[in-house]
Amino acid sequence: RLRAAMRRLEERGASVVLITEKDEHRWPVPDDPRLPVRVLRTGLAPLDPVEGHLARLRAAAAGRVS
């Protein structure tokens, strides 16, 4: 499947294949890929301080008994 997808991309003028990190394990790259394959690695980082909010959430969760 990957070889066929890479061939279609190449035919349409692509110069690189981009896959997401979560799909990396599902798309084993052939030993001789037709195009370079790059994995998009993502992460989340808060833009605003969150420790105060997290402390209140943790305190509230600690006070609950299941």
Side-chain angles (χ1 to χ4, degrees):
R1 272 180 37 193
L2 182 57
R3 284 184 191 277
M6 292 176 89
R7 190 171 31 258
R8 284 192 306 274
L9 289 169
E10 189 176 38
E11 289 168 359
R12 293 178 180 157
S15 59
V16 66
V17 175
L18 298 174
I19 58 175
T20 61
E21 183 176 21
K22 72 177 185 65
D23 290 328
E24 183 178 15
H25 71 282
R26 295 179 15 196
W27 290 89
V29 178
D31 291 335
D32 59 342
R34 298 177 66 98
L35 296 169
V37 177
R38 301 291 180 257
V39 179
L40 297 172
R41 304 205 185 278
T42 59
L44 296 175
L47 298 176
D48 298 317
V50 296
E51 286 308 314
H53 300 292
L54 290 176
R56 288 191 293 277
L57 287 170
R58 290 181 181 123
R64 291 190 180 149
V65 178
S66 298

